[in-house]
Amino acid sequence: MIIFSLTYVDFMIRYRTLRIEDEALIMGEKLDNSAEYLDGLLSKIEMIPKSMALNPIIRNVEEARFPDFFEDLLNIYPEIHSVYAAYETVGNLTGTYRNNSKFQTEIHPPAHYVGVGEQWYDLPMSQNKFVIQDAYFDESFLKVWMVSFLNPVYDYNQTLIGMVGCDITLDKIHELVDNLSVDNENMAFVLQDSDIILAIQNSSYNGRKFEDFARNNSENALYSLVSNLELNSDNSYSGTYLDSSGSENYLYSVQLRNPNIDWKLFISIPTSVILEDVNQIIAMLSVLGVILLAIVGMLLFMLSRSITKPINSLVDITKKIAAGDIDNKIEIRSSGEIQELITNFQQMVFHIQAQISHLQYISDWSPTPIMMISKEGKIEYINKRFLEVYGYNLLEIPDLNAWFPKAYPDPEYREVVTNEWKEHVDNKKFILEKPIHFFVTAKSGERIYTGFRLMHLENGGQYLTLENETERQKQEEELLRNQKIESISLLAGGIAHDFNNILMGLLGNINLLQLEDNLPAEHVEILYQLEKAVLRGSGLTKQLLTFSKGGTPVKKIQKIKPLLMDSLSFVMTGSNSVYELDVEDDLPNVNIDAGQISQVLNNLIINAQHAMPNGGIIEVTAKLVHLDNNNEKSAKSGDFIEIEISDHGCGIPQENQKKIFSPYFTTKSKGNGLGLATAFAILKKHDGFIHFVSEVEKGTSFFINLPVSSDKPLKSEEIHFSNNDFVGRVLILDDDLIILKSVSRLLNKLGFHVDQAIDGEILIEKYLFALKTENPYDFIITDLTIPGGMGGKEAVEILQKKDPAIKAVVSSGYSNDPILSNYQQYGFIAALHKPYTVRELSAIINSILNK
């Protein structure tokens, strides 16, 4: 009864604690959600002055356009109360703010605001960075409590010329506090620097010190706790305090994550409200506890007289069984439940005897080798599977002294195994959590990679299972090699994407210079060579992307000869071999991914070089062939361009010829066996094929067959363009500012008005606003991926629902992304592969505007 009482008290204490903790979790979740909402609101508003500072209207101080620009921002962002820009030497203060349902713009000369100190104008200017100003009452202009988001402005020479900002009123934060309060039982509030009230239920305290509120409302204990608050590692706090009446209250707090501010959200609730239902349960359980104690006492008294004797007899029998006398018979007589217990116990003994026999059978026929060793090191048992795998019987290995020399014949390795074995045996841990692995030499001489799982027995011996893990070890080695290749592939893909973005910035600016009038001929030639070098670098990145993805080819109609010449020139530079190129005149076009086919050609030319380490002649030919259904080379038929690459080297041995297209097969000491396997896969995706003939010590010839195409390539010289060829509005999405600027300038040169967006959400806002104001964009160009934000695919998918007639062009540095190959399936009307030239851009624009 005493134990029951103590258990009851312990239960109620635990239940009370858990109830408080449950309420704390609910309060914490509410507050965390509110903090996340407020953090999101601040981050959203923080982007407004930052993006304003980069806008040409602000940087060029086009004050006449400020009112319309600011009203657009107030329409787009209903959360903000006012927007303004101020210049100390080059302009005025222009501010637009909400006046009920209308907008009002005011203009003030510098004399009205210069020298106001660290209030709003000098703050970003003096700190030379974005800042969020502490809450303040705007006595000079708007006569309301507010928080300002401020950013310095630089002209295009990076000279500091002024600042921009926007404000939110504390009413926005006060709405959050109202949502956290329920029937005035909860008290929610937001503090700045743990001192200034930004929002509380009694809004008359907004902007005042929390100390004033605590003093006027007898909340001194709460003020002391808040003033000395120490947050946990997750920037939160939970705990209790006593108010002025002595009542316990629960407080939960969380700090906002924005690094520019020190704001904390608080919520407090009386513990009595939390525990109201707990007190009712305590009263009910107290009555039930008294009744239960009385019943238990009566049962114990009655049962003790009827079961003691047979139970004692049953205990004696169990001691004999525990000593190993499993055949002991039970001849105890009783009645009722005790007799049923005795009968069930006898049946349990019978089942144990049957299970022992069954386990003996299972062990003998287990698919896993088993060994049992005595405390003295004698091998007492091995099963049938052990004999099949390792070949030794008990006569050959009666003990460990006989086992170790046979299983580990090498003395040095045997010493390593013996030391580790003793370490695990001496450990005395009942079961090893992980197997220990050794190479065991079987009777046949085969070395088997074996995982030993050891279990200590009560008699001091060991029970072992021996798992043949030779095949698993090979699989793990292959998996590790695949993981290394995958890591290199991911790295190659990332490098190629970033490098394509860099090349796009270079190429865009080169094309900008090429559009200038009256350039000297020497400069024109230099710019042409620069453009050619960038495009060659782009070809290398395409090969990296092909290696990283092995993905769907992005095909174009083109001639094969320039591709052959580029590959030979690239690979043969610095080689001790020479090449001979013979290409038939007027070969038809092929529809190929130039980067992937270049990779195939490069691999085959490199293999030809390696086959002739002392140098030689590599012969390369290209001709038109027709294959019918009965040809011996392939099941494919039709017209093909056949490329032959021949060397006069060592040749391929007959036993290796069926393996050369298998992944990871290689005869090179430093090869990875992927070159020909990759070539095979690439040609298959081009509806082509590859085959070879080889003779040892005479050489090898590889044949690449690509289907011909009747289509014609779009020649760059057929695309004519000049400055101001076009007219219209374009919206560009890209997170790379260099690309954003260079492409915008190119489009400006071509005659377009260009707007910019750095993530998909901004793109959607600008596009829908232009649509709403009946000043739509003629087309948009979107980057495919935006790190940490919405990319072009998601943004266009959303905009298509609003405007099914949208004209969107997808652009990406991942030039082998499937979306670029099948862009129409994703709502795009064209695709641009970074880096792209102004000629390619003009061709796309022509196709869009002529549709």
Side-chain angles (χ1 to χ4, degrees), residues 650-703:
C650 57
I652 303 172
Q654 188 67 35
E655 63 270 19
N656 291 339
Q657 290 189 9
K658 292 184 178 181
K659 307 174 186 176
I660 65 171
F661 294 116
S662 300
Y664 309 121
F665 175 77
T666 181
T667 58
K668 302 174 185 178
S669 60
K670 296 183 179 179
N672 59 26
L674 290 174
L676 290 175
T678 301
F680 185 89
I682 290 173
L683 289 168
K684 184 177 180 181
K685 291 176 182 178
H686 282 76
D687 297 320
F689 59 92
I690 181 172
H691 63 284
F692 70 96
V693 292
S694 182
E695 189 173 347
V696 175
E697 301 303 332
K698 289 190 177 181
T700 302
S701 294
F702 276 91
F703 299 88

Side-chain angles (χ1 to χ4, degrees), residues 34 38 127 217 314 409 568 622 638 821 849:
S34 299
L38 194 52
Q127 296 188 23
N217 293 274
L314 195 59
L568 286 166
S821 302
L849 298 182

Side-chain angles (χ1 to χ4, degrees), residues 768-785:
L768 294 179
F769 180 74
L771 205 63
K772 181 179 179 181
T773 56
E774 298 182 356
N775 189 21
Y777 296 102
D778 293 275
F779 62 92
I780 64 174
I781 301 175
T782 71
D783 194 2
L784 190 57
T785 55

Side-chain angles (χ1 to χ4, degrees), residues 406-475:
K406 287 182 171 62
Y408 316 107
D410 179 67
E412 293 183 2
Y413 186 62
R414 187 191 315 145
E415 183 178 359
V416 173
V417 174
T418 303
N419 292 335
E420 189 168 349
W421 170 260
K422 289 180 179 178
E423 179 182 339
H424 288 291
V425 170
D426 293 342
N427 187 20
K428 298 298 182 184
K429 194 171 184 179
F430 180 62
I431 297 178
L432 290 183
E433 295 178 356
K434 296 181 179 179
I436 51 177
H437 293 87
F438 305 120
F439 281 98
V440 176
T441 301
K443 189 175 181 179
S444 63
E446 179 186 2
R447 294 184 81 235
I448 301 173
Y449 188 67
T450 302
F452 290 80
R453 293 188 179 272
L454 182 149
M455 180 176 71
H456 288 285
L457 303 176
E458 292 183 356
N459 60 10
Q462 293 87 36
Y463 175 90
L464 297 169
T465 61
L466 294 77
E467 301 175 12
N468 185 351
E469 300 185 9
T470 305
E471 188 63 30
R472 183 182 65 80
Q473 184 204 25
K474 292 179 180 178
Q475 292 174 353

